[in-house]
Amino acid sequence: MSAFVLRQGILHAEEVSLADIADRFGTPCWVYSRRALEAALDEFQSELGGIDALVCYAIKANSNLAVLDVLARRGAGFDIVSGGELKRVLAAGADPRRIVFSGVGKSAGEMELALQAGILCFNVESAAELDRLDSVAGALGKVAPISLRVNPDVDARTHPYVSTGLKENKFGVAYEDALPLYRHASRRRNLRVGGIDCHIGSQLLDSAPFVEALDKILLLVDRLAAEGIALEHIDLGGGLGIRYRDEVPPTVKDYLQPMLARLRQRQLRVLLEPGRRLVGNAGVLLTRVEYLKPGDVKSFAIVDAAMNDLARPALYGSWHEIVPVVPHPGAVRPWEIVGPVCESGDFLGRGRELALAAGDLLAVMSAGAYSMSMSSNYNSRPRAAEVMIDGSQAHLVRRRETIEELYALENRLP
Ligand SMILES: *Cc1c(COP(=O)(O)O)cnc(C)c1O
């Protein structure tokens, strides 16, 4: 059941009215549900019961410390893609031995940080990165645990910007290069070959490409074993989609079962890196209608949230459901829900059939993933506050930025 439901004619997050949240914290404002976060993680954990497995939440989807804390307390590990994300998860109290480090461009400094922290695994994405990691680890007198991110060349059949497992993508090492690279890695003194990983894309609505990728990866695992390179873990990446509109993504069970069936006979620890699926439907963006601008061709509802807050519609043409917090009667017409930013691409939704009045509150749904974490200060707009709902409690987990903070790091010429 969704954590966001109408009660007495007002949209609530768990037991808290979103109208009260707007009064207390202002708009625009991100609102997350602890219960929804926990339920999403539990769905994975329960399917993995009895299996040596670790769910490493991909924190780039939403990296607020409170979100990380909620998931860490429930047993999650983390998938990071930068030194900044490493510091963030450590600040949230994560166990470094539950952290995997992905990304095509790890700097020497980021490698040092992660080696000092003692992370579980580096997901290495190229031959050049392997050599750099070997020398950085050597200089520190450490041995780096590694996995190679293999590009299985399968079509995830998702948006081209979030498809990552095709040969033409920048991610991972090419399938046919993996074996020689593993041989090379296994001879390096400062590297310890621990696993193999892949991540084929995001917002996948079909489980077949995951299985296709896994079958290719398992062929490699067997060839490596035949050469005496025994892997300890297999990391299946993330990518499982969510419902934004009327999509029917696989259940976690339907997604995992065909893969677990293939893995059950093997002595491999299973790692997963879900991002969107854990947080996407656990958050909304709360915004207020500033002005209505009805017109002959198009009618615009100008709201106080914009593309700097939620970039997904402008960036990917993504569709987010937009609902009134306090539905009221009135003439329904199609509205362009747009923000104050000076770009024609600044829209949150198009042609939405709603009865609107100036001052109305709207909730942009399914805004827990790749939303606040992708927000910017474009047009010198302070980033919005973030609030975590826990039952009947509302906790401010990131205060709204001030205007002064936006230029506090800048200097005029002497
Ligand atoms: C972004 C990313 C994920 C998470 O993807 P979702 O689609 O949000 O599940 C997992 N692994 C890697 C390497 C990523 O880059």
Side-chain angles (χ1 to χ4, degrees):
M1 204 193 74
S2 171
F4 300 93
V5 288
L6 276 177
R7 291 166 199 264
Q8 284 100 41
I10 303 174
L11 190 65
H12 281 59
E14 301 190 21
E15 274 83 69
V16 182
S17 143
L18 290 181
D20 289 349
I21 298 288
D23 285 346
R24 196 167 147 200
F25 302 103
T27 55
C29 173
W30 305 94
V31 184
Y32 309 130
S33 158
R34 178 178 188 171
R35 188 189 298 158
L37 290 171
E38 292 180 342
L41 179 60
D42 289 354
E43 208 184 338
F44 280 88
Q45 310 277 38
S46 67
E47 285 310 315
L48 295 165
I51 294 165
D52 183 12
L54 181 63
V55 178
C56 294
Y57 165 56
I59 86 162
K60 71 179 189 290
N62 184 327
S63 51
N64 182 284
L65 293 192
V67 171
L68 304 181
D69 182 36
V70 162
L71 296 175
R73 288 192 207 201
R74 206 89 167 175
F78 297 98
D79 172 42
I80 59 166
V81 295
S82 71
E85 287 194 347
L86 175 61
K87 289 206 166 176
R88 229 172 219 291
V89 277
L90 294 176
D95 177 351
R97 289 161 307 169
R98 289 170 163 258
I99 297 173
V100 298
F101 191 170
S102 303
V104 292
K106 299 176 194 79
S107 70
E110 289 174 321
M111 289 173 174
E112 277 174 27
L113 273 179
L115 284 164
Q116 300 290 16
I119 65 165
L120 173 62
C121 194
F122 289 85
N123 291 349
V124 173
E125 304 215 18
S126 65
E129 182 192 336
L130 203 64
D131 289 339
R132 179 185 279 181
L133 183 58
D134 183 50
S135 63
V136 171
L140 291 178
K142 303 230 177 229
V143 174
I146 65 124
S147 159
L148 289 186
R149 174 168 177 181
V150 176
N151 185 335
D153 195 28
V154 303
D155 186 355
R157 299 187 277 277
T158 182
H159 193 288
Y161 287 11
V162 291
S163 186
T164 55
L166 281 171
K167 261 190 169 170
E168 66 203 53
N169 298 126
K170 70 177 176 182
F171 299 99
V173 302
Y175 190 78
E176 49 290 353
D177 297 340
L179 274 179
L181 214 49
Y182 267 108
R183 289 184 199 116
H184 175 71
S186 68
R187 290 191 294 264
R188 289 310 182 104
R189 294 196 26 220
N190 310 305
L191 301 178
R192 189 176 64 75
V193 174
I196 191 162
D197 66 284
C198 70
H199 170 72
I200 58 173
S202 201
Q203 183 58 11
L204 271 74
L205 297 170
D206 177 3
S207 52
F210 290 112
V211 178
E212 207 182 311
L214 174 60
D215 284 337
K216 286 185 130 179
I217 299 289
L218 287 176
L219 279 177
L220 279 179
V221 172
D222 291 338
R223 284 197 203 132
L224 288 167
E227 294 191 20
I229 302 174
L231 302 183
E232 291 154 19
H233 78 250
I234 182 163
D235 179 341
L236 306 171
L240 187 58
I242 63 168
R243 172 175 293 191
Y244 286 97
R245 186 176 198 170
D246 49 10
E247 305 90 335
V248 187
T251 61
V252 172
K253 186 191 186 79
D254 289 345
Y255 155 72
L256 282 180
Q257 280 215 326
M259 292 200 283
L260 295 180
R262 285 163 168 77
L263 293 167
R264 210 149 260 142
Q265 313 307 325
R266 295 171 178 267
Q267 302 296 311
L268 286 170
R269 185 180 197 205
V270 178
L271 268 54
L272 296 167
E273 301 170 351
R276 188 189 313 268
R277 184 68 175 224
L278 294 181
V279 296
N281 280 324
V284 303
L285 173 59
L286 189 58
T287 182
R288 195 181 286 281
V289 176
E290 293 275 9
Y291 299 104
L292 292 181
K293 216 167 136 180
D296 295 338
V297 182
K298 290 229 160 125
S299 293
F300 296 94
I302 298 150
V303 300
D304 61 7
M307 66 185 287
N308 73 294
D309 301 298
L310 181 64
R312 300 188 68 259
L315 187 58
Y316 311 114
S318 308
W319 194 95
H320 285 259
E321 191 181 5
I322 300 176
V323 298
V325 170
V326 187
H328 57 75
V332 170
R333 67 154 90 208
W335 293 101
E336 304 293 296
I337 312 291
V338 302
V341 162
C342 299
E343 297 276 347
S344 290
D346 179 27
F347 69 95
L348 301 178
R350 301 201 133 131
R352 300 305 171 90
E353 300 279 344
L354 294 165
L356 292 183
D360 279 1
L361 286 171
L362 296 173
V364 183
M365 307 304 290
S366 308
Y370 304 106
S371 297
M372 172 59 177
S373 62
M374 289 177 105
S375 68
S376 77
N377 293 122
Y378 189 41
N379 280 208
S380 286
R381 289 170 49 84
R383 253 173 284 232
E386 292 175 286
V387 173
M388 175 82 74
I389 306 300
D390 184 4
S392 57
Q393 299 284 105
H395 303 280
L396 181 64
V397 295
R398 190 178 201 268
R399 70 160 170 78
R400 189 177 307 283
E401 290 174 349
T402 65
I403 307 269
E404 292 70 25
E405 282 168 331
L406 302 190
Y407 50 80
L409 306 182
E410 300 168 27
N411 298 304
R412 296 194 297 171
L413 293 181

